[in-house]
Amino acid sequence: MKKMAVLFLFLLFLTGCSGSHQAAPSYDEMKKMMTDAIQTEDGKKALRKLMTDPEFRELLVLEQPEVKQSIENVLLSKEGERFWKTAFEDPKFTESIAKSMKKQQADIMKDLMTDASFQKELEKFFGQPDMMKQMENIVNSATLKKEMEKAIEDTINSPLMQAKWQELIMKAGKGATGGSSKDGGKGQKTDEEGK
């Protein structure tokens, strides 16, 4: 709005500097001059430039109470609730939301982990007798044991781990055969010496 006023004053100044000393133009004349000026190529360029200015666009959006009210009405209405509910049921939408917020969530978690008051609250929460009993029940439960067995089995059967197992077995085998051949060589020498 301020920039529109500046543009208007600038156009008024230009018409005032035309050289001829006339009386101030009437409202209708001023309106006609403004609309004529806006419809020229220069006027259109000036308006385009003004509309792309971030500061001006921010003023247009933020200074309109109707915009704020309509956003609140849409987001907090029953239709808005239904929209968000159905939107969050779509896996692609939830994935894109999660990806867009991933960095912020990681930053928040890092800040919380180093926050002493948060750590104290966690200790207090997990230190409660009920919580400790629940944790003990979970750790000793059959389902957790099955899950751990499955995780270990999956780890052992994974191709990456199989290559590492094979490498470890080969190293262990070389170590065992190398040690026994040295002992065997010593044993043979003592046998020959005994003869």
Side-chain angles (χ1 to χ4, degrees):
M1 295 298 163
K2 292 176 184 175
K3 295 210 176 202
M4 267 310 218
V6 170
L7 181 68
F8 177 73
L9 288 173
F10 179 70
L11 289 173
L12 186 64
F13 178 73
L14 285 177
T15 55
C17 295
S18 62
S20 59
H21 298 287
Q22 299 175 348
S26 67
Y27 172 77
D28 290 331
E29 289 172 340
M30 183 61 73
K31 182 178 169 184
K32 187 177 183 326
M33 283 190 293
M34 285 292 290
T35 52
D36 288 346
I38 289 171
Q39 288 174 0
T40 64
E41 276 305 310
D42 289 338
K44 287 176 184 176
K45 281 180 186 175
L47 277 176
R48 279 191 209 108
K49 189 177 179 184
L50 190 65
M51 291 301 225
T52 56
D53 182 16
E55 196 175 317
F56 179 72
R57 289 176 75 172
E58 196 175 311
L59 283 171
L60 278 178
V61 174
L62 295 179
E63 287 186 359
Q64 301 298 325
E66 295 86 14
V67 173
K68 187 180 176 187
Q69 186 65 42
S70 62
I71 288 171
E72 284 177 2
N73 289 343
V74 168
L75 291 177
L76 303 175
S77 68
K78 293 288 181 190
E79 292 82 16
E81 281 180 30
R82 271 188 247 121
F83 164 77
W84 289 115
K85 199 172 183 181
T86 53
F88 275 100
E89 286 171 2
D90 179 17
K92 288 181 181 176
F93 179 77
T94 51
E95 184 186 6
S96 63
I97 290 285
K99 281 181 181 175
S100 69
M101 297 172 70
K102 190 175 180 180
K103 189 185 181 305
Q104 289 86 347
Q105 287 176 338
D107 291 343
I108 289 168
M109 288 305 291
K110 283 176 187 173
D111 288 344
L112 284 174
M113 293 312 266
T114 56
D115 185 12
S117 61
F118 179 73
Q119 289 174 348
K120 281 181 185 174
E121 288 296 320
L122 273 180
E123 285 173 17
K124 199 188 294 180
F125 176 72
F126 285 111
Q128 296 173 9
D130 294 344
M131 206 52 210
M132 290 182 80
K133 191 172 182 183
Q134 266 188 324
M135 291 291 284
E136 192 178 323
N137 290 341
I138 290 167
V139 169
N140 293 330
S141 70
T143 47
L144 183 68
K145 287 179 181 174
K146 281 181 186 173
E147 287 297 320
M148 287 178 74
E149 285 173 10
K150 189 179 182 302
I152 291 167
E153 201 174 301
D154 289 346
T155 305
I156 290 170
N157 291 333
S158 86
L160 292 172
M161 285 306 293
Q162 284 181 353
K164 286 183 181 178
W165 291 126
Q166 205 169 24
E167 191 180 313
L168 286 169
I169 290 168
M170 294 292 277
K171 281 182 182 176
K174 284 180 184 175
T177 55
S180 65
S181 65
K182 287 178 184 175
D183 290 341
K186 286 180 183 176
Q188 286 175 356
K189 281 182 183 175
T190 51
D191 287 343
E192 288 172 7
E193 286 172 5
K195 289 180 183 175

